């Protein structure tokens, strides 16, 4: 009877808290706190989410206004993730066009190599490679063009994922979201798969976050950027 109770308990943990360690970054791409990893979600996974950006680190608002985003990401092939994000500054202007100031941007990530025992996964990707504001074409505020490798490790009951990448200059955007070398690490525990600690460097700032993953669908991620600025993410996964 006791063994049966333990089995039921473990089954409930699996059902309600899940075991998928991959998270959705603040930017809407599968990744760490802000940087992408080389991993993708499972094929036919849709993620709908929102993030809060603090004005203290937000060049897009000239460091004057906080912003909120809404995004949708789809992994519809085993090797391709695509997404669209809408970013709106909060309380931008009392009237007129500025009161509806917003940015729309697409993103994609293409996995070139799948992770193997002695080889990391390799992906390339981009965000804000085309964009528009209102009826006309606008500047690129969140541009990135990158390549990244990711390798997972197990140390006793700890599950680690280490990523390293580089974001390149391309085209002539208004502002690069990433430019230069970036990387990060996620740390989880096999007995507590619903919580993961993440740390990354996004080419400008060091960031830390904790991802809570409930019911195998809901992600909540509070974030501390540059050691002092609070941001956050909320997303929901749908498996088609």
């Amino acid at each position: 009877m006791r063994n049966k109770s333990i089995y039921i308990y473990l089954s409930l943990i699996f059902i309600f808290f899940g075991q998928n360690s991959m998270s959705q970054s603040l930017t809407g791409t599968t990744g760490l706190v802000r940087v992408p990893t080389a991993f993708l979600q499972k094929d036919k996974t849709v993620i709908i989410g929102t993030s809060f950006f603090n004005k203290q680190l937000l060049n897009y608002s000239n460091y004057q206004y906080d912003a909120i985003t809404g995004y949708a990401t789809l992994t519809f092939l085993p090797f391709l993730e695509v997404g669209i994000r809408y970013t709106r500054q909060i309380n931008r202007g009392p009237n007129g066009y500025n009161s509806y100031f917003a940015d729309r941007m697409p993103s994609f990530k293409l996995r070139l190599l799948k992770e193997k025992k002695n080889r990391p996964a390799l992906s390339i990707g981009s965000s804000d490679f085309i964009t528009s504001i209102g009826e006309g074409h606008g500047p690129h505020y969140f541009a990135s063009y990158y390549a990244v490798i990711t390798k997972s490790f197990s140390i006793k009951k700890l599950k680690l994922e280490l990523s390293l990448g580089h974001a390149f200059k391309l085209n002539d955007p208004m502002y690069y979201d990433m430019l230069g070398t970036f990387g990060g690490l996620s740390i989880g525990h096999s007995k507590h798969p619903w919580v993961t600690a993440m740390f990354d460097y996004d080419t400008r700032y060091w960031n830390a976050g904790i991802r809570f993953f409930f019911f195998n669908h809901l992600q909540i991620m509070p974030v501390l950027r540059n050691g002092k600025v609070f941001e956050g993410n909320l997303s929901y996964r749908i498996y088609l």
Side-chain angles (χ1 to χ4, degrees):
M1 184 68 180
R2 183 180 177 182
N3 291 337
K4 184 177 180 180
S5 299
I6 293 174
Y7 175 78
I8 294 174
Y9 175 73
L10 293 176
S11 298
L12 288 174
I13 289 177
F14 177 84
I15 293 171
F16 288 107
F17 295 104
Q19 294 189 9
N20 191 335
S21 63
M22 288 180 291
S23 65
Q24 215 68 9
S25 70
L26 287 175
T27 65
T29 301
T30 301
L32 299 173
V33 181
R34 284 202 81 255
V35 307
T37 64
F39 292 157
L40 304 178
Q41 300 290 344
K42 291 183 180 180
D43 190 14
K44 299 179 181 179
T45 299
V46 177
I47 298 181
I48 300 172
T50 182
S51 295
F52 169 76
F53 293 160
N54 194 299
K55 64 184 178 182
Q56 295 183 49
L57 301 179
L58 190 59
N59 177 276
Y60 169 54
S61 68
N62 199 26
Y63 309 102
Q64 297 182 55
Y65 305 96
D66 298 327
I68 190 168
T69 74
Y71 63 82
T73 303
L74 168 64
T75 306
F76 68 95
L77 294 172
F79 52 84
L80 180 63
E81 174 184 285
V82 296
I84 185 73
R85 194 180 84 197
Y86 178 94
T87 306
R88 188 182 192 278
Q89 296 178 27
I90 301 173
N91 298 323
R92 170 68 186 264
N95 52 47
Y97 176 76
N98 282 342
S99 64
Y100 301 97
F101 192 81
D103 177 82
R104 285 163 285 182
M105 52 156 268
S107 65
F108 79 90
K109 181 164 59 175
L110 176 66
R111 188 180 62 207
L112 301 180
L113 294 175
K114 192 172 183 178
E115 182 188 34
K116 292 187 177 182
K117 182 178 180 180
N118 298 313
R119 185 185 73 189
L122 168 64
S123 293
I124 59 173
S126 177
S127 63
D128 211 6
F129 48 92
I130 55 172
T131 187
S132 64
I133 298 177
E135 297 180 356
H137 293 287
H140 303 246
Y141 290 102
F142 300 98
S144 65
Y145 306 89
Y146 62 86
V148 59
I149 59 173
T150 302
K151 189 72 179 71
S152 58
F153 304 90
S154 293
I155 302 177
K156 293 185 177 181
K157 295 182 179 181
L158 292 179
K159 294 184 177 182
L160 311 177
E161 290 181 4
L162 181 64
S163 295
L164 181 65
H166 193 83
F168 305 92
K169 282 187 175 181
L170 190 64
N171 297 329
D172 188 22
M174 175 74 73
Y175 183 77
Y176 282 102
D177 199 39
M178 295 192 304
L179 185 61
T181 300
F182 63 87
L185 173 70
S186 71
I187 305 173
H189 195 282
S190 60
K191 286 189 176 181
H192 307 286
W194 55 276
V195 60
T196 304
M198 293 176 290
F199 309 90
D200 69 24
Y201 175 69
D202 62 11
T203 75
R204 291 182 179 86
Y205 306 110
W206 291 95
N207 313 299
I210 300 178
R211 186 213 64 167
F212 300 98
F213 192 48
F214 302 109
F215 314 111
N216 205 30
H217 290 279
L218 178 65
Q219 172 183 292
I220 301 173
M221 187 174 72
V223 166
L224 183 64
R225 293 192 59 210
N226 199 29
K228 61 182 180 180
V229 176
F230 286 97
E231 296 184 342
N233 169 271
L234 176 69
S235 63
Y236 189 84
R237 298 185 195 179
I238 302 170
Y239 308 102
L240 302 179

